[in-house]
């Protein structure tokens, strides 16, 4: 007689099989806590000198003293300001420009090869030029972040616009839409969800340029604090700074995702 | 009687230089008011290109193309087009998709109260005509493929186009849904008095829907023959089994096979399947 078998559903390694949200969050938590546990273990075993490998507790303590005895809040806010300003400036120019490149072939021919060329130039290498041209004021830090994000952003926006299905545009044309109406009512509307994703991804890149930007004669900010901590061998502060940037990035990313769900409900049906 | 769509010696070439392909070569055709003309032919025969050229979405490089006596210079609100898929606006509800043309200047030049009311009434009527009365607030991606195509047809009919151009609109639907759509589009043709040009790769569909079937042939794209469909204006599914329907279907299929240029090498197939000794 056959032994009745319980239906276990798809196995752990079933390709693209859905998993319950409970299991998803459990695994996500494991994924986040495992490295933390490893770190804690390595630090506790004192395999490495404490100067090079601070423990999670050291880093937490440093975070507290940074907040109480130093200017943690000030460092965070000035860095957030620089990143958001550089990114926003980039978006304000890149979105209309990318829309034009994605809409009109002559504009694409004129600007896309040029943009492709510039985006391979390292943003870091522009620092001396930026200092000479813009100086060492706040605007120079914003400029570095702008250079790091803008050219990628233009190309991604152009691609978002090009991905709008041709049938959507052609249906509008045969309903009598003018060129302006097609750009405004079809291309822009249709590309919006992809554009928000592009803005979210480029925001992440903008953060990666923060430390570079704060190389430029800064005296505050998370990137600057990390660089200064290196000079004083404060590895716990370097750890704290890096983790803080990661955490801020995670929060901003989740905000973008929430905005996506709220703005584009038709893409988020269960 | 003047033709609604008049085509004389129309030619079109894709690509440049050595890669140039003649898509249409010397097309002559008249389509009359309130006619339902279907186009069939082997792939590459230019039937879609011809339809898109009538719609103003492709530009012809020779010959003449006139709609209602005016030379075609690009797309216009008098020639609405229905595509195979991906043409609906996923960010708008079904009702807002149908009423989409009301956002455009060409259709809202005079915004009198009665004009707005009439448009709203027409949108409601089209929604009901398409059997979508319960789905007005849904988003397109919540609907089946057949329902999405009904929305696309309603949206195209909304501005009362004189001509409806349909490019394999039911090509992605299952057989049962297609039958329902066939009777629906015949019904629309009767009550809206629209002139319809309909491209399909399905011969049965072409005969069942059309008053005339235009058979096209490839390399270069041209009209091979035009058939008058020997069926009454009021069609029903049983006519698909009538001898004259089957005879026409057989003849057209044979002609398409002749022109398609697709031959299977049966000897090679047999060799491939022989056990190696």
């Amino acid at each position: 007689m056959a032994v009745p078998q319980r239906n276990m559903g798809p196995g752990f390694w079933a390709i693209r099989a859905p998993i319950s949200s409970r299991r998803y969050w459990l695994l996500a938590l494991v994924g986040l806590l495992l490295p933390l546990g490893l770190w804690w273990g390595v630090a506790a075993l004192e395999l490495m000198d404490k100067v090079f490998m601070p423990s999670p507790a050291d880093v937490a303590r440093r975070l507290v003293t940074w907040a109480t005895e130093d200017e943690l809040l000030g460092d965070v806010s000035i860095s957030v300001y620089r990143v958001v300003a550089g990114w926003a400036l980039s978006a304000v120019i890149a979105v209309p420009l990318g829309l034009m490149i994605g809409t009109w072939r002559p504009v694409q021919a004129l600007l896309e090869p040029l943009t492709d060329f510039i985006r391979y130039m390292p943003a870091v290498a522009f620092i001396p030029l930026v200092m000479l041209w813009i100086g060492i004021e706040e605007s120079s830090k914003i400029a570095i972040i702008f250079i790091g994000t803008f050219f990628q952003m233009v190309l991604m926006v152009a691609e978002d616009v090009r991905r709008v299905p041709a049938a959507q545009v052609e249906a509008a044309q045969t309903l009598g839409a003018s060129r302006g109406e097609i750009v405004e009512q079809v291309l822009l509307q249709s590309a919006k969800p992809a554009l928000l994703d592009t803005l979210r991804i480029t925001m992440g890149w903008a953060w990666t340029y923060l430390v570079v930007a704060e190389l430029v004669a800064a005296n505050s900010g998370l990137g600057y604090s990390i660089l200064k901590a290196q000079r004083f061998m404060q590895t716990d502060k370097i750890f704290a700074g890096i983790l803080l940037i990661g955490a801020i990035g995670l929060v901003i990313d989740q905000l973008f995702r929430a905005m996506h769900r709220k703005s584009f409900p038709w893409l988020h049906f269960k | 009687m003047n033709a609604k769509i008049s085509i004389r010696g129309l030619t079109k070439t894709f690509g440049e230089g050595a890669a140039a392909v003649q898509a249409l070569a010397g097309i002559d055709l008249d389509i009359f008011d309130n006619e339902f003309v279907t186009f069939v032919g082997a792939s590459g025969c230019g039937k879609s290109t011809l339809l898109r050229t009538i719609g103003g979405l492709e530009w012809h490089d020779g010959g003449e193309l006139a709609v209602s006596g005016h030379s075609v210079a690009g797309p216009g609100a008098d020639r609405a087009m229905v595509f195979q898929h991906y043409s609906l606006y996923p960010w708008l509800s079904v009702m807002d998709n149908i009423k989409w043309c009301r956002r455009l200047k060409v259709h809202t030049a005079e915004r009198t109260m009665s004009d707005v009311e009439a448009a709203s009434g027409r949108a409601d009527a089209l929604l009901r005509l398409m059997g979508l009365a319960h789905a007005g607030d849904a988003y397109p991606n919540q609907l089946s493929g057949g329902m999405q195509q009904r929305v696309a047809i309603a949206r195209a009919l909304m501005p009362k186009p004189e001509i409806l151009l349909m490019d394999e609109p039911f090509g992605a639907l299952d057989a049962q849904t297609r039958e329902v759509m066939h009777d629906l589009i015949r019904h629309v043709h009767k009550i809206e008095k629209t002139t319809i040009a309909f491209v399909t790769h399905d011969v049965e569909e072409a005969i069942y829907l059309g008053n005339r079937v235009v058979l096209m042939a490839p390399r270069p794209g041209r009209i091979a023959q035009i058939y008058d469909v020997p069926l009454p204006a009021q069609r029903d599914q049983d006519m698909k089994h009538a001898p004259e329907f089957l005879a026409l279907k057989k003849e057209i299929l044979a002609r398409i096979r002749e022109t398609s240029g697709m031959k299977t090498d049966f000897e090679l197939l047999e060799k491939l399947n022989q056990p190696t000794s």
Side-chain angles (χ1 to χ4, degrees), chain A residues 168 170 174-176 181 266, chain B residues 52 81 89 91 105 107 141:
Chain A
Q168 288 184 3
E170 291 175 342
T174 65
L175 286 168
E181 284 169 331
W266 68 93
Chain B
R52 290 171 57 80
M81 192 142 165
Y89 301 134
W91 61 93
K105 268 201 200 81
H107 302 296
N141 65 354

Side-chain angles (χ1 to χ4, degrees), chain B residues 70-84:
Chain B
H70 301 286
S71 199
V72 167
D78 55 336
R79 285 154 289 144
M81 192 142 165
V82 179
F83 302 82
Q84 188 170 358

